[in-house]
Amino acid sequence: MVDRDQASLYTIEGVAAALLMIATATIVFQAISVYTPGDTHIDDMLLEQLGADALAVLDLPKGPGEASALEEMIATWDKDGFQSGFGSLVRSRSLVEGDDPVQYSAEVFYRVGNSDEVDSVFFTESVPYSGYEPAVRVTRWVQVRTPYHENLPAELPQSPQRTQMVLLEVILWRG
């Protein structure tokens, strides 16, 4: 009789321990990760890397010695081509259209003549940047070879004698 009571006690203790382990595992696996303001830099780094990768893809030459798509877009001032190429690359992470609303604004910096002065001209944007959204900046040097296109804005140097390097700066934000 005494042996049966001990066996029942061991069984109850085993069931209680099993329930305790299941409850602990459930709490651990359902724990919510705390998102602190200090973790926002991770999203910014991801967005910056996404923009840099998109510009790098656009800047791949089509063949040996040939211009890249990005170089042609800048040289011909093809805003629509940039919006479709760059815009689709930065928004292609999500399978649902419109789920990843990455916005951008692009500007081209250039050297004025033979001076040390640097000026800029607006290139294109998906939506106007208000300046209030947290944003990141990615840049890419683009070689603009001759001949220049008639669509280039008058501010950009038009020198058919030499190749011009311009800096394409893209501001990215989620909005």
Side-chain angles (χ1 to χ4, degrees):
M1 188 74 180
V2 173
D3 291 336
R4 285 185 157 181
D5 287 342
Q6 286 181 342
S8 297
L9 189 59
Y10 288 139
T11 302
I12 291 172
E13 185 178 309
V15 169
L19 290 176
L20 184 62
M21 287 191 295
I22 290 172
T24 303
T26 302
I27 290 171
V28 167
F29 288 123
Q30 291 182 348
I32 299 171
S33 62
V34 177
Y35 191 75
T36 63
D39 294 337
T40 58
H41 72 281
I42 295 171
D43 286 339
D44 292 344
M45 288 178 13
L46 291 173
L47 189 59
E48 185 176 355
Q49 189 62 49
L50 177 68
D53 288 347
L55 287 179
V57 167
L58 288 177
D59 203 21
L60 287 174
K62 295 177 181 175
E66 295 183 22
S68 67
L70 185 61
E71 182 181 335
E72 289 179 353
M73 289 174 198
I74 298 295
T76 60
W77 212 246
D78 184 12
K79 297 176 181 181
D80 294 334
F82 184 81
Q83 287 186 351
S84 65
F86 185 78
S88 67
L89 285 173
V90 296
R91 293 180 180 142
S92 63
R93 294 184 333 146
S94 176
L95 298 175
V96 179
E97 189 172 330
D99 187 40
D100 194 13
V102 176
Q103 307 298 335
Y104 58 90
S105 177
E107 191 169 3
V108 174
F109 289 82
Y110 60 94
R111 182 176 159 199
V112 178
N114 291 328
S115 68
D116 292 335
E117 186 179 339
V118 176
D119 206 352
S120 68
V121 61
F122 172 76
F123 184 48
T124 186
E125 64 188 3
S126 58
V127 294
Y129 179 57
S130 68
Y132 293 111
E133 299 92 357
V136 296
R137 175 179 315 198
V138 292
T139 59
R140 185 87 178 182
W141 286 103
V142 180
Q143 185 177 16
V144 180
R145 301 176 192 166
T146 58
Y148 288 92
H149 199 268
E150 66 269 3
N151 290 346
L152 277 177
E155 297 90 5
L156 276 178
Q158 306 267 340
S159 174
Q161 288 84 24
R162 66 182 174 99
T163 301
Q164 175 76 29
M165 293 296 290
V166 296
L167 182 67
L168 175 65
E169 177 186 275
V170 182
I171 305 293
L172 292 165
W173 71 95
R174 296 191 187 280

